[in-house]
Amino acid sequence: MGRLTEAAAAGGSASAARSARPAPTSLALSSTSPGCAATMASSEEDGTTGGAPEAGEEREATLKRRRLGFLATAWLTFYDIAMTAGWLVLAIAMVRFYMEKGTHRGLYKSIQKTLKFFQTFALLEIVHCLIGIVPTSVLVTGVQVISRIFMVWLITHSIKPIQNEESVVLFLVAWTVTEITRYSFYTFSLLDHLPYFIKWARYNFFIILYPVGVAGELLTIYAALPYVKKTGMFSIRLPNKYNVSFDYYYFLLITMASYIPLFPQLYFHMLRQRRKVLHGEVIVEKDD
């Protein structure tokens, strides 16, 4: 969905909105997305992700990166290049499908394997945090990545009647552009050759992609509600030997409601980070 403290948004959703990590010790933004509680396609940063971390100064990021071992830096460079390439392949496949078919119907089915592979591959971002080669909160990154996987596997994959919804295209486009921008940003940052356009795109695209990704995620979950209620999928009814009940329908309603407090908070956080990175403003954030 896609991500928690960043946007890129791409969000979408969990569009979001991801959402991202301070690039292998570099700047950041998520998918991503409050998706599924933080999928901000959205995000970004992004809300992304995989992953939602804090943007930092480039010089500071470079100093941090020097503390990484050669193997860690090499692996992260490989990972970011692979993810950039993967999302580029996805983007090309989406454009080609639409040019050939002239409709979005069937689009998800045609690209689902690539989407599932690279979005699930993003679980490695949690591992990166756990072993300390990326200085981002495990909890924040975990929420970003899991929320995206939730949207992919437990919503669009599991509920086939919604796969041709226009809202699916919304978060797919938002996520794809967000992730291409995010991972290319990380790659060039690691190589110490960050083009200004990539930096500019990283901190501007989310302004549109974050809301688009979140909207796509919310509309997709909403479209899934009638099917979930009718079939009772993923729900546990009483009585049972564990004396536990779970209603997936109400879980989805709660997930949608979680976007209300999370989206504005994350979006405005990323706007502050944008001013800091692109315009050099000193942002003093109040402690909660």
Side-chain angles (χ1 to χ4, degrees):
M1 327 208 167
R3 300 176 177 211
L4 200 37
T5 53
E6 64 172 1
S13 313
S15 247
R18 126 299 331 160
S19 14
R21 49 184 160 88
T25 53
S26 132
L27 306 180
L29 229 354
S30 223
S31 123
T32 157
S33 3
C36 136
T39 270
M40 302 308 207
S42 13
S43 125
E44 251 122 23
E45 229 110 274
D46 138 16
T48 111
T49 99
E54 312 238 344
E57 303 287 358
E58 288 178 53
R59 181 169 56 182
E60 182 179 313
T62 301
L63 292 175
K64 288 180 180 179
R65 190 165 65 252
R66 286 172 183 165
R67 300 190 198 114
L68 291 175
F70 172 76
L71 289 179
T73 303
W75 163 251
L76 289 174
T77 303
F78 168 78
Y79 173 81
D80 291 328
I81 291 174
M83 293 298 276
T84 302
W87 285 94
L88 273 171
V89 167
L90 191 66
I92 293 170
M94 291 169 64
V95 172
R96 180 180 298 171
F97 179 90
Y98 191 80
M99 291 179 67
E100 292 178 354
K101 306 294 184 182
T103 178
H104 70 282
R105 300 185 68 81
L107 172 63
Y108 180 82
K109 185 177 181 180
S110 73
I111 55 92
Q112 62 178 330
K113 290 183 179 179
T114 305
L115 173 66
K116 291 171 186 174
F117 177 82
F118 283 100
Q119 190 55 70
T120 305
F121 195 54
L123 283 168
L124 284 175
E125 297 189 17
I126 301 176
V127 178
H128 295 162
C129 297
L130 283 170
I131 63 180
I133 63 174
V134 172
T136 303
S137 163
V138 175
L139 177 61
V140 168
T141 300
V143 169
Q144 296 170 0
V145 174
I146 297 302
S147 64
R148 284 280 194 92
I149 289 176
F150 169 81
M151 280 299 300
V152 169
W153 288 101
L154 298 182
I155 299 293
T156 19
H157 167 76
S158 301
I159 308 173
K160 290 180 171 52
I162 67 168
Q163 291 179 358
N164 288 323
E165 292 286 333
E166 289 86 349
S167 57
V168 173
V169 179
L170 281 182
F171 77 73
L172 281 179
V173 170
W175 286 11
T176 301
V177 178
T178 292
E179 297 300 60
I180 291 171
T181 305
R182 184 166 73 93
Y183 287 115
S184 60
F185 176 91
Y186 290 161
T187 300
F188 284 114
S189 295
L190 277 170
L191 298 174
D192 287 325
H193 291 289
L194 179 62
Y196 180 76
F197 174 73
I198 297 295
K199 178 180 177 181
W200 180 90
R202 177 71 168 143
Y203 289 96
N204 281 284
F205 284 3
F206 82 90
I207 295 174
I208 299 298
L209 295 176
Y210 201 16
V212 168
V214 169
E217 294 165 19
L218 283 172
L219 289 171
T220 300
I221 296 174
Y222 180 78
L225 290 176
Y227 181 86
V228 172
K229 187 172 186 178
K230 179 180 178 180
T231 63
M233 66 181 295
F234 299 150
S235 297
I236 303 173
R237 307 297 186 192
L238 290 173
N240 59 68
K241 64 179 180 179
Y242 300 107
N243 199 32
V244 171
S245 67
F246 172 75
D247 195 310
Y248 191 53
Y249 175 81
Y250 288 106
F251 173 78
L252 292 182
L253 289 177
I254 293 171
T255 296
M256 294 177 69
S258 72
Y259 281 72
I260 297 174
L262 287 174
F263 173 73
Q265 179 181 347
L266 301 178
Y267 190 67
F268 287 116
H269 169 76
M270 287 318 306
L271 287 175
R272 290 193 293 272
Q273 294 302 324
R274 175 180 178 273
R275 295 201 305 271
K276 177 181 177 181
V277 173
L278 296 184
H279 304 294
E281 293 186 23
V282 177
I283 306 296
V284 178
E285 299 198 31
K286 297 180 181 179
D287 292 331
D288 292 330

